[in-house]
Amino acid sequence: QVQLVESGGGLVQAGGSLRLSCAASGRTFSTYSMGWFRQTPGKERDFVGAMTWTGDSTYYADSVKGRFTISRDNAKNTVYLQMNSLTPEDTAVYYCAARMSGTALAVPTIDYWGQGTQVTVSS
């Protein structure tokens, strides 16, 4: 069992930056692929980015490529999402995700979810 707790969301002006953190419980964190997804009211949860369990590959949605960066610190059981050059279109609830087998690229394949953290970007 893995529990994920996000933090770092908030209100930021367009062009600003935020760093989200996701702290995971469990001793097998390093064996999970970790990902980030986001969701706005009335819409489906969308993929943002993911990192393989080895940490040697990352994947990003086209909408955030070049602006967002995923990193992980296995010693701290934590994965991060650095978000730069934020726009109002990035406003959403951001969810941390973990997948045991494979890469955390798609909602149906996720084994564990965090509770979400709100990111609001004002224009």
Side-chain angles (χ1 to χ4, degrees), residues 38 47-49 59-69 81 84 90 94:
R38 64 187 182 186
F47 170 74
V48 174
Y59 305 86
Y60 297 97
D62 288 343
S63 59
V64 306
K65 202 171 294 183
R67 300 188 298 122
F68 290 12
T69 303
L81 182 66
N84 298 328
D90 295 316
Y94 283 71

Side-chain angles (χ1 to χ4, degrees), residues 70-121:
I70 291 176
S71 61
R72 66 190 296 166
D73 185 338
N74 289 338
K76 295 183 178 180
N77 278 14
T78 302
V79 62
Y80 305 97
L81 182 66
Q82 178 66 44
M83 305 185 295
N84 298 328
S85 302
L86 285 161
T87 73
E89 288 68 37
D90 295 316
T91 295
V93 177
Y94 283 71
Y95 295 90
C96 179
R99 180 180 177 185
M100 291 186 291
S101 178
T103 305
L105 298 173
V107 169
T109 67
I110 300 303
D111 296 298
Y112 301 101
W113 292 100
Q115 84 287 352
T117 186
Q118 176 71 46
V119 171
T120 303
V121 184

Side-chain angles (χ1 to χ4, degrees), residues 7-36:
S7 61
L11 174 64
V12 63
Q13 288 189 331
S17 299
L18 279 176
R19 189 177 80 156
L20 305 183
S21 299
C22 174
S25 65
R27 293 177 290 178
T28 59
F29 170 78
S30 62
T31 64
Y32 286 79
S33 168
M34 301 299 297
W36 289 92

